[in-house]
Amino acid sequence: MGKDKLSYQLKTPKGTKDWEGIDMVIRDQIFNTITSVFKRHGAVTIDTPVFELRQILSGKYGEDSKLIYDLADQGGELCSLRYDLTVPFARWLAMNPSIQSIKRYHIAKVYRRDQPAMTKGRMREFYQCDFDVAGAYDRMVPDAEIIRIVCEVFGKGGLVLDGIFEVCGVPKEKIRTISSAVDKLDKLPWEEVKKEMVEEKGLSEEVADKIWEFVQMRGARDILDTLRQDPRVTSNESLISGLQDMDLLFTYLEAFDVLPHVEFNLSLARGLDYYTGVIYEVVTEGSAPPSTTSTKKPPSTNHNHNPKPPRKEKSAPEFDEDRSNDPSVGVGSIAAGGRYDELVGMFSGKAQIPCVGISFGVDRIFSITKSRLNTTTSTLRPTEVDVYVMAFGGKGFTGLLKERMQVAKTLWDAGIKAEFSYKEKPKLGAQFKKAEESGIPFAVILGEEEVGRGEVRVKEMGLEEGHGEKDGVVVKMEGLVGEVRGRLERKRREREGGDGDGEGEVVDSMRELKVEDRERKTGDDGV
Amino acid sequence: MGKDKLSYQLKTPKGTKDWEGIDMVIRDQIFNTITSVFKRHGAVTIDTPVFELRQILSGKYGEDSKLIYDLADQGGELCSLRYDLTVPFARWLAMNPSIQSIKRYHIAKVYRRDQPAMTKGRMREFYQCDFDVAGAYDRMVPDAEIIRIVCEVFGKGGLVLDGIFEVCGVPKEKIRTISSAVDKLDKLPWEEVKKEMVEEKGLSEEVADKIWEFVQMRGARDILDTLRQDPRVTSNESLISGLQDMDLLFTYLEAFDVLPHVEFNLSLARGLDYYTGVIYEVVTEGSAPPSTTSTKKPPSTNHNHNPKPPRKEKSAPEFDEDRSNDPSVGVGSIAAGGRYDELVGMFSGKAQIPCVGISFGVDRIFSITKSRLNTTTSTLRPTEVDVYVMAFGGKGFTGLLKERMQVAKTLWDAGIKAEFSYKEKPKLGAQFKKAEESGIPFAVILGEEEVGRGEVRVKEMGLEEGHGEKDGVVVKMEGLVGEVRGRLERKRREREGGDGDGEGEVVDSMRELKVEDRERKTGDDGV
């Protein structure tokens, strides 16, 4: 391939990729599965521009703001590519004050100038699937529905619910800075982190100790019971209210029949500025890196709502370099979200609309799903074509192109998916090969004699020698559509009866997600 | 709404918009219709990044290159937002030399710093739906299938096929410059255009006169017959070959049963650098501006593959200003495409892969479709929710929130789309209002007594006073799913029997597209 003409490398920009072939089929099925869950819960969708005015994004992402892609100043407004779908949603709510409540989903690409790890689904351009509920409602009701949605998407997969930090008694104005200290437990012993909290950040030693107690807890209702017996908790009104919220949430999760899938976890890492309440993330076996030091802390690899900025360290690879082969990098959480009650108010001035939402990281779900698909038994195919229209003939064979076109037209008119060779005189072998490679189930074969009698042959592909119908059946042109329809219907029923149907395969693999062992190995996400 | 906190205007960037509500429902149905046609013809889809290396786009769009959005230089590679889906497709083909043929579709947003006219669907961020066939095939075969696809998308809508310019005898190296001269026939009399062709551009007077003859022609086979009798044509080998191609194309279009919808038109405006053969565009009533001078020339408002750059003139409005109310602006063509046999080679060096494709301008199709929908009789609704789960009670009413959640869970488990109020103690009137406003067909009503007996009430919404089932029927909880499913199924069948079904409405409006009168009024697209 003569690249001599090109003065540049033929590639996609770093951290981006082309999607093609079976990957697109799998990804589409993941989208469809997620969308159908969102619709089942009454969500509408909105679509915002891929870039926003730069001021809209500024001040929303803390340190991660440096990962925002800016558009060049070519005159006119200054714009940046969206970093997530949450801030555009809040901007939209603030712009539409007549809308005081909405359940919306949005499936679209977002952009982060982060260090990529392509094969693990960490990219600079990646899809998010967001579901959010905006509106002033009774406590914990939409929050519970969002957790139910996560469980519907992942089936029996598990969910880690990061705890309510306020329960520990951290003053509101210190939550962010203390949160970033807790986050260092990945790397530092507790003693050092505590020192930072108390000496540098002015937290009382008592609260710091409580944090240490809490970050080691895992469980559900039992955690609540422990906390309730703690006099430090029961003597503090705001903590009691936090406990009541958790209790309410567990009651609702029980009604939704998803409580067994949820783990409550008080060690949380809150990266973005806009969260105000409960936050959660979904982790799975592949979320953590394959091998690093074991700690008590789950992987806080919340790339969706809560990504970590790349940290340059001595031994760190180049920022642009792909980290797919770096054993310290896991896939991260596959969904994450939380409550952000004050974000809309950042745009609208006084008007607040409380919001809670979840973001599914599709590229990561894709990576895990694909690695689980059994490629040797997979029946996934790139197209949905039902029929390949082909022709054959002896000496002086004309190719019957016009006739093949007419047959294809008849099938298309009936809504049947059909293809034919674009060659005037295609070889029979090449036509069969094409149909086989594409996994097309039926051939309609035109022979010169049969065409003269107004007949064509319908043949099921892939039948073994000796099968009674190996050579197909001859039907009148008028009966072709009925014959093909009947056979497709039978094939569909066969497939649904068995377990080899393409859609089931992807959804099954998606739903094999398991929360890894509680004592799972984790590692730092930031390097 | 206190905007006092904001130092900037709360809006989307110029030329972009948010999509929401019923508009999203209509647009999704347009996408689904187009996608199902693409799949019926065996297309696969690929997804390329929203930005490309800047070098990939450079030298591909001629003068329109200045409309490309660049990303800011923040270190690393220089990138630009894609301007269309064709160049990324060619780049992908060049990067994947093992793929020598493919039918692909791609539905995605593209970006042009053009002067917007929002309500007419002319935006800076807009969707394209592209279908392309790559591969070395026998002449005119994929070309004909693409025209068939256009006819399937638009039903009985019409198609204008812009002619093969070479037939006129214009030397290959002069086609672009002569093309831009022909394009001026919008504004200038023939005499002046001819002067430019002959005196400035060195075309022979004979060829120029032939162009004038040809640009006035409209028709199909009859044009071929006229040309065949023209000794100037029959004495030129390359023209004869062009005629043969047209003849072949018409034969194939006949086999596909779409010839009556196609008009052949020899006045063409070729804006992009990459076209090499036949080009076509689909125009409709709204394509032309509502009132301007009448000319023989169809509106060459090919925003898809062939957009016009904004021209600054004396009286021209500001570049950034919206032109929706400018009477000289029409919607433009709603689909356009053509053959580009040499684009892949621009990337791969020697290797050429001939390509032909079509791009549907969804935002324009949307504008026209929406304006045709009868909003008073429309049954379109924003969500697909089947059931609203509600509760009522007298004094001391608890709200039955947990019970409503359990009923919703039961319905979700059965795949039924259901919602309920997020209030602990919602008012019955408010619940009914919500269900009615959303057009939800069924209510499941929980009363305290009935719940105690393990029963709920199923009620069809919107039944008149006096209807036997106005108050619904009471069923056991175990029978709820069966009851709701049966009713939904009946409703679905009713709808399909009638003509008020949502999907049909949009598709019907989409397919009412008509090619406007041949003598239609047109206007310049560039101002």
Side-chain angles (χ1 to χ4, degrees):
Chain A
M1 199 66 35
K3 291 244 170 76
D4 39 18
K5 278 194 183 175
L6 288 186
S7 59
Y8 54 93
Q9 209 192 335
L10 203 59
K11 61 186 275 298
T12 62
K14 272 181 186 154
T16 70
K17 60 174 274 197
D18 296 319
W19 286 83
E20 62 205 51
I22 289 296
D23 286 359
M24 278 301 276
V25 177
I26 297 171
R27 203 183 71 176
D28 271 353
Q29 288 188 21
I30 292 172
F31 284 154
N32 290 342
T33 306
I34 295 176
T35 304
S36 74
V37 173
F38 291 166
K39 286 187 173 175
R40 195 183 301 144
H41 288 262
V44 300
T45 183
I46 71 169
D47 176 21
T48 63
V50 101
F51 49 83
E52 295 275 344
L53 295 182
R54 199 165 297 166
Q55 295 140 316
I56 300 282
L57 304 188
S58 79
K60 308 301 182 305
Y61 300 106
E63 271 205 12
D64 297 346
S65 293
K66 65 174 181 291
L67 304 182
I68 293 174
Y69 277 98
D70 290 329
L71 292 188
D73 181 1
Q74 296 169 289
E77 302 159 332
L78 293 180
C79 300
S80 299
L81 297 187
R82 65 183 163 214
Y83 181 87
D84 63 11
L85 303 175
T86 310
V87 168
F89 175 51
R91 189 264 306 149
W92 178 83
L93 281 169
M95 267 176 70
N96 293 277
S98 66
I99 294 163
Q100 285 296 308
S101 68
I102 191 170
K103 280 184 210 171
R104 87 89 177 72
Y105 72 93
H106 190 182
I107 300 184
K109 287 174 172 176
V110 300
Y111 298 88
R112 300 181 183 180
R113 294 181 56 257
D114 208 344
Q115 202 182 341
M118 302 295 287
T119 62
K120 285 166 182 156
R122 293 168 159 270
M123 292 183 280
R124 291 183 174 179
E125 175 187 61
F126 59 97
Y127 263 100
Q128 287 196 333
C129 289
D130 278 25
F131 176 95
D132 293 82
V133 179
Y137 293 116
D138 282 315
R139 292 192 75 81
M140 292 296 157
V141 187
D143 310 64
E145 185 162 1
I146 282 175
I147 293 172
R148 162 79 197 192
I149 283 170
V150 171
C151 294
E152 282 185 36
V153 166
F154 292 122
K156 296 282 163 210
L159 176 77
V160 171
L161 193 65
D162 275 330
I164 294 176
F165 209 54
E166 288 80 351
V167 172
C168 294
V170 178
K172 213 166 177 151
E173 69 279 7
K174 286 192 177 149
I175 283 182
R176 280 201 59 216
T177 171
I178 294 302
S179 174
S180 81
V182 167
D183 209 22
K184 294 182 184 155
L185 282 170
D186 274 351
K187 293 179 166 176
L188 301 175
W190 166 242
E191 289 66 34
E192 283 184 48
V193 171
K194 181 178 169 182
K195 207 171 145 192
E196 180 183 327
M197 286 179 175
V198 177
E199 292 179 16
E200 288 175 36
K201 298 184 171 167
L203 204 64
S204 79
E205 202 167 326
E206 187 197 353
V207 172
D209 286 338
K210 196 153 43 180
I211 290 175
W212 177 231
E213 215 173 280
F214 289 174
V215 295
Q216 298 172 84
M217 287 183 176
R218 297 283 182 285
R221 290 264 194 201
D222 50 327
I223 288 199
L224 276 191
D225 295 337
T226 312
L227 293 174
R228 267 205 204 93
Q229 284 153 21
D230 190 325
R232 291 166 307 182
V233 171
T234 48
S235 63
N236 180 319
E237 245 180 69
S238 85
L239 297 197
I240 291 173
S241 138
L243 284 183
Q244 282 167 345
D245 277 356
M246 288 310 298
D247 199 35
L248 212 49
L249 181 61
F250 288 146
T251 303
Y252 297 155
L253 294 180
E254 219 157 30
F256 284 152
D257 198 22
V258 293
L259 190 52
H261 307 313
V262 174
E263 180 189 280
F264 187 37
N265 171 346
L266 289 166
S267 78
L268 83 170
R270 194 190 326 225
L272 301 188
D273 291 4
Y274 54 62
Y275 284 119
T276 54
V278 62
I279 70 172
Y280 26 75
E281 64 175 358
V282 184
V283 294
T284 180
E285 287 164 294
S287 292
S291 69
T292 41
T293 48
S294 169
T295 78
K296 288 279 183 190
K297 197 156 174 307
S300 51
T301 50
N302 189 339
H303 193 42
N304 302 307
H305 273 205
N306 185 12
K308 295 295 181 54
R311 294 176 201 148
K312 283 246 184 189
E313 308 216 345
K314 277 191 301 290
S315 63
E318 272 306 293
F319 173 65
D320 259 0
E321 202 176 288
D322 188 277
R323 296 182 299 160
S324 295
N325 297 320
D326 180 344
S328 74
V329 176
V331 166
S333 61
I334 52 176
R339 192 160 261 293
Y340 51 103
D341 285 347
E342 286 155 22
L343 184 57
V344 178
M346 288 175 78
F347 293 116
S348 63
K350 283 164 297 185
Q352 288 292 1
I353 301 183
C355 294
V356 60
I358 182 86
S359 178
F360 293 86
V362 184
D363 301 85
R364 294 172 181 201
I365 297 170
F366 170 85
S367 295
I368 297 170
T369 302
K370 193 180 176 191
S371 71
R372 283 185 183 151
L373 272 178
N374 187 330
T375 45
T376 51
T377 64
S378 174
T379 58
L380 289 175
R381 56 194 186 101
T383 75
E384 298 171 11
V385 174
D386 302 314
V387 174
Y388 199 83
V389 180
M390 44 181 90
F392 74 100
K395 224 183 160 183
F397 174 52
T398 61
L400 296 171
L401 176 55
K402 202 174 163 185
E403 289 76 8
R404 284 183 282 134
M405 287 176 162
Q406 281 163 335
V407 169
K409 172 222 157 308
T410 304
L411 295 169
W412 293 332
D413 281 346
I416 296 166
K417 305 180 186 94
E419 278 192 293
F420 60 92
S421 166
Y422 286 159
K423 300 247 181 235
E424 234 183 293
K425 294 181 193 172
K427 296 214 168 74
L428 189 61
Q431 296 174 84
F432 265 107
K433 190 166 167 241
K434 165 74 183 167
E436 267 159 21
E437 280 174 356
S438 308
I440 299 172
F442 293 101
V444 169
I445 307 168
L446 281 64
E448 271 163 342
E449 272 179 43
E450 282 146 353
V451 165
R453 290 194 298 268
E455 292 173 346
V456 291
R457 189 176 290 271
V458 179
K459 178 183 156 27
E460 181 168 348
M461 296 291 295
L463 295 184
E464 303 285 314
E465 200 67 51
H467 188 288
E469 270 206 9
K470 186 184 171 296
D471 296 324
V473 295
V474 173
V475 297
K476 283 272 166 205
M477 266 301 294
E478 308 85 76
L480 175 63
V481 165
E483 179 72 26
V484 172
R485 273 203 185 131
R487 282 167 178 266
L488 286 170
E489 183 57 28
R490 249 172 289 152
K491 209 143 185 101
R492 195 183 60 77
R493 266 188 259 120
E494 260 172 52
R495 224 180 17 232
E496 284 177 4
D499 41 57
D501 127 278
E503 182 145 34
E505 234 178 292
V506 170
V507 176
D508 288 351
S509 297
M510 211 177 132
R511 294 198 169 146
E512 267 172 42
L513 299 174
K514 286 181 204 86
V515 173
E516 57 205 310
D517 188 77
R518 298 298 169 238
E519 295 299 318
R520 63 191 167 265
K521 293 169 177 169
T522 65
D524 177 60
D525 173 51
V527 181
Chain B
M1 200 69 29
K3 293 247 169 76
D4 39 20
K5 277 192 181 175
L6 288 186
S7 60
Y8 53 93
Q9 211 192 334
L10 201 59
K11 60 186 278 296
T12 61
K14 272 180 184 152
T16 70
K17 60 174 273 196
D18 297 319
W19 287 83
E20 62 205 52
I22 289 296
D23 286 1
M24 278 301 275
V25 176
I26 297 171
R27 202 183 73 178
D28 271 353
Q29 288 187 21
I30 292 173
F31 284 154
N32 290 342
T33 306
I34 294 177
T35 305
S36 74
V37 173
F38 291 166
K39 286 187 173 177
R40 196 182 300 146
H41 288 262
V44 300
T45 182
I46 70 169
D47 176 22
T48 63
V50 102
F51 48 83
E52 295 276 344
L53 295 182
R54 198 164 299 166
Q55 294 139 318
I56 299 282
L57 305 189
S58 79
K60 308 299 182 304
Y61 301 107
E63 271 205 11
D64 297 345
S65 293
K66 66 174 180 289
L67 304 183
I68 293 174
Y69 276 98
D70 290 330
L71 291 187
D73 181 1
Q74 297 169 287
E77 302 160 333
L78 293 180
C79 299
S80 300
L81 297 188
R82 64 183 164 215
Y83 181 88
D84 64 11
L85 304 174
T86 311
V87 167
F89 176 52
R91 189 264 306 148
W92 179 84
L93 282 168
M95 266 176 71
N96 293 278
S98 66
I99 294 164
Q100 285 296 308
S101 67
I102 190 170
K103 280 185 210 172
R104 88 87 177 75
Y105 72 92
H106 190 182
I107 299 184
K109 286 174 172 176
V110 300
Y111 298 88
R112 298 179 184 182
R113 295 181 57 256
D114 208 342
Q115 200 180 347
M118 303 294 287
T119 62
K120 284 164 182 159
R122 295 169 158 269
M123 291 182 282
R124 290 183 174 180
E125 174 187 61
F126 59 98
Y127 262 99
Q128 287 195 332
C129 289
D130 278 24
F131 177 96
D132 294 81
V133 179
Y137 292 116
D138 282 315
R139 292 193 73 80
M140 293 295 157
V141 187
D143 311 64
E145 185 163 1
I146 281 174
I147 293 171
R148 162 79 196 191
I149 283 171
V150 171
C151 293
E152 282 185 37
V153 167
F154 293 121
K156 295 283 162 211
L159 177 77
V160 170
L161 193 66
D162 274 331
I164 295 175
F165 210 52
E166 288 81 351
V167 170
C168 294
V170 178
K172 214 164 181 159
E173 69 278 8
K174 285 193 177 147
I175 282 182
R176 278 202 60 217
T177 172
I178 294 302
S179 175
S180 81
V182 167
D183 210 20
K184 293 182 184 155
L185 281 171
D186 274 350
K187 292 178 169 176
L188 301 176
W190 165 243
E191 289 66 33
E192 283 185 48
V193 172
K194 181 178 171 183
K195 207 171 146 193
E196 179 182 328
M197 287 180 174
V198 177
E199 293 180 15
E200 287 175 36
K201 301 184 169 167
L203 203 66
S204 79
E205 200 165 328
E206 188 197 354
V207 172
D209 286 338
K210 196 153 39 177
I211 289 175
W212 176 232
E213 213 173 282
F214 288 175
V215 295
Q216 299 172 85
M217 287 183 176
R218 297 282 181 286
R221 290 264 193 203
D222 49 326
I223 288 201
L224 276 190
D225 294 337
T226 312
L227 293 174
R228 268 207 203 88
Q229 284 153 21
D230 189 325
R232 291 165 307 179
V233 171
T234 48
S235 62
N236 179 320
E237 246 179 71
S238 85
L239 298 196
I240 292 172
S241 139
L243 283 184
Q244 282 167 345
D245 277 355
M246 288 311 298
D247 198 34
L248 212 49
L249 182 61
F250 289 145
T251 303
Y252 297 154
L253 294 181
E254 217 156 35
F256 285 151
D257 197 20
V258 293
L259 190 52
H261 308 313
V262 175
E263 179 189 283
F264 188 37
N265 171 347
L266 288 166
S267 78
L268 85 169
R270 194 187 330 221
L272 301 188
D273 290 3
Y274 53 62
Y275 284 118
T276 53
V278 61
I279 69 171
Y280 26 74
E281 63 175 358
V282 185
V283 293
T284 178
E285 286 165 294
S287 291
S291 68
T292 41
T293 47
S294 169
T295 78
K296 288 280 184 187
K297 195 158 176 304
S300 52
T301 50
N302 190 339
H303 193 43
N304 301 307
H305 272 206
N306 184 12
K308 295 297 180 54
R311 293 176 201 148
K312 282 246 186 189
E313 308 217 343
K314 274 191 303 290
S315 63
E318 272 305 291
F319 174 64
D320 260 0
E321 202 176 290
D322 189 276
R323 294 183 300 160
S324 295
N325 296 321
D326 179 343
S328 73
V329 176
V331 166
S333 62
I334 52 176
R339 193 159 261 293
Y340 51 102
D341 285 346
E342 286 155 24
L343 184 58
V344 178
M346 287 174 80
F347 294 114
S348 63
K350 281 166 297 187
Q352 288 292 1
I353 302 184
C355 294
V356 59
I358 182 87
S359 179
F360 292 87
V362 183
D363 301 86
R364 295 173 180 201
I365 296 170
F366 170 85
S367 296
I368 296 171
T369 302
K370 194 181 174 190
S371 71
R372 281 182 183 154
L373 272 178
N374 188 331
T375 45
T376 51
T377 64
S378 172
T379 58
L380 290 174
R381 56 194 186 102
T383 75
E384 298 171 12
V385 174
D386 301 315
V387 174
Y388 199 83
V389 180
M390 43 180 93
F392 75 99
K395 225 181 162 187
F397 173 53
T398 62
L400 296 171
L401 176 55
K402 202 175 161 182
E403 289 76 8
R404 283 183 282 135
M405 286 177 161
Q406 282 164 335
V407 169
K409 172 218 157 308
T410 305
L411 295 169
W412 292 333
D413 281 347
I416 296 166
K417 304 180 186 97
E419 277 192 294
F420 59 92
S421 167
Y422 285 158
K423 299 249 181 230
E424 234 182 292
K425 294 181 193 171
K427 295 211 170 74
L428 187 62
Q431 296 173 83
F432 264 107
K433 191 170 166 235
K434 166 75 183 167
E436 266 160 22
E437 280 174 357
S438 306
I440 299 172
F442 294 101
V444 169
I445 306 168
L446 281 67
E448 272 164 340
E449 273 178 42
E450 281 146 354
V451 165
R453 292 194 299 268
E455 292 174 345
V456 291
R457 190 176 290 272
V458 178
K459 178 184 158 22
E460 181 167 347
M461 296 290 296
L463 296 184
E464 303 286 316
E465 199 68 51
H467 189 286
E469 270 205 9
K470 185 184 172 296
D471 295 324
V473 295
V474 173
V475 296
K476 284 271 166 206
M477 266 303 293
E478 309 85 75
L480 174 64
V481 165
E483 178 71 26
V484 171
R485 272 203 187 132
R487 282 167 179 267
L488 286 170
E489 183 56 28
R490 250 173 287 152
K491 210 146 184 94
R492 193 183 61 77
R493 265 187 261 121
E494 261 173 52
R495 223 180 18 231
E496 283 178 5
D499 41 56
D501 128 278
E503 183 147 33
E505 234 178 294
V506 171
V507 175
D508 288 350
S509 297
M510 211 177 132
R511 293 198 168 145
E512 269 172 42
L513 299 174
K514 287 181 201 85
V515 174
E516 57 204 309
D517 187 78
R518 300 296 169 238
E519 294 299 318
R520 61 192 170 267
K521 293 167 178 169
T522 65
D524 177 58
D525 174 51
V527 181

